[in-house]
Amino acid sequence: MDTRDPGTGGEDAGSDRYLRELLPRLTQLSNALNRGRLTERALEAAGGSVDRPAMSALLVLHMADEPLRVGEIAARMQVVGPHVTRQVNELERRGLVRRVTDPGDQRARLVEPTGQGREVTDRYMRTIFGWFGDALAGWPEDDRRAFERLLGRFVDDLTVHLATLDDDAT
């Protein structure tokens, strides 16, 4: 008898039970982040008066630690280029990013945060880090490291899997 469940990518029924227990926790996490208005509250605390998509673009630039093309920002945000172009245009208008010439291709432009853009991003990140740090304060170091490793692995694997589904659909 085949105990594989088509909803779990061909895993056996035991995996299905595990996933049934995991799904409510993932839903709870999603709700805590979204309904708890984590991003909006952190944006308010940072005083940057930018919206969520604009902060996402600033965070991508911050984490890249180098100027990026709009297409690369879009790829890292997992959105389409025109969406990022609108965000970058507005961020540039507000003095939070600037376009610079790509040293490898004088025809192309890169986007980098201005000093003001870095300050807004730093305040936002300090706020988020403070909240997450408070939530993890009672955790032993080994648990925090294991959580970081496993969450990173899960997000990476899920991202690849979902991209594969997107590729199969097109």
Side-chain angles (χ1 to χ4, degrees):
M1 178 167 109
D2 189 356
T3 60
R4 293 180 307 166
D5 184 330
T8 63
E11 297 296 323
D12 63 35
S15 293
D16 186 48
R17 186 180 67 246
Y18 169 76
L19 293 173
R20 287 182 194 276
E21 293 171 7
L22 182 61
L23 184 59
R25 303 305 278 178
L26 292 172
T27 301
Q28 183 182 3
L29 175 61
S30 176
N31 289 340
L33 296 175
N34 292 320
R35 285 194 202 149
R37 297 184 40 248
L38 177 81
T39 301
E40 290 78 8
R41 288 179 182 184
L43 287 168
E44 290 169 14
S49 68
V50 297
D51 61 12
R52 181 188 293 231
M55 181 51 70
S56 294
L58 285 171
L59 287 168
V60 163
L61 289 167
H62 179 82
M63 288 185 269
D65 205 28
E66 66 180 351
L68 298 173
R69 290 184 182 202
V70 167
E72 180 61 23
I73 297 169
R76 292 181 187 201
M77 289 176 62
Q78 300 178 347
V79 298
V80 295
H83 172 74
V84 173
T85 298
R86 285 190 299 276
Q87 294 303 321
V88 167
N89 288 343
E90 179 60 19
L91 289 167
E92 186 176 36
R93 185 189 70 72
R94 298 182 59 199
L96 299 172
V97 300
R98 67 176 150 255
R99 296 174 198 263
V100 296
T101 302
D102 183 341
D105 180 354
Q106 296 297 309
R107 299 167 298 166
R109 305 292 277 172
L110 302 173
V111 180
E112 68 180 8
T114 62
Q116 182 182 359
R118 281 189 292 278
E119 288 172 15
V120 168
T121 307
D122 287 343
R123 286 193 308 266
Y124 175 84
M125 290 179 63
R126 278 194 306 273
T127 301
I128 294 289
F129 288 171
W131 293 340
F132 284 5
D134 290 348
L136 297 170
W139 289 34
E141 181 69 21
D142 288 347
D143 286 356
R144 287 194 306 260
R145 294 288 172 225
F147 177 66
E148 174 188 9
R149 181 179 58 77
L150 292 170
L151 182 62
R153 179 178 170 190
F154 175 73
V155 170
D156 290 347
D157 290 350
L158 183 61
T159 301
V160 167
H161 181 69
L162 293 177
T164 302
L165 294 176
D166 288 343
D167 292 344
D168 290 347
T170 59

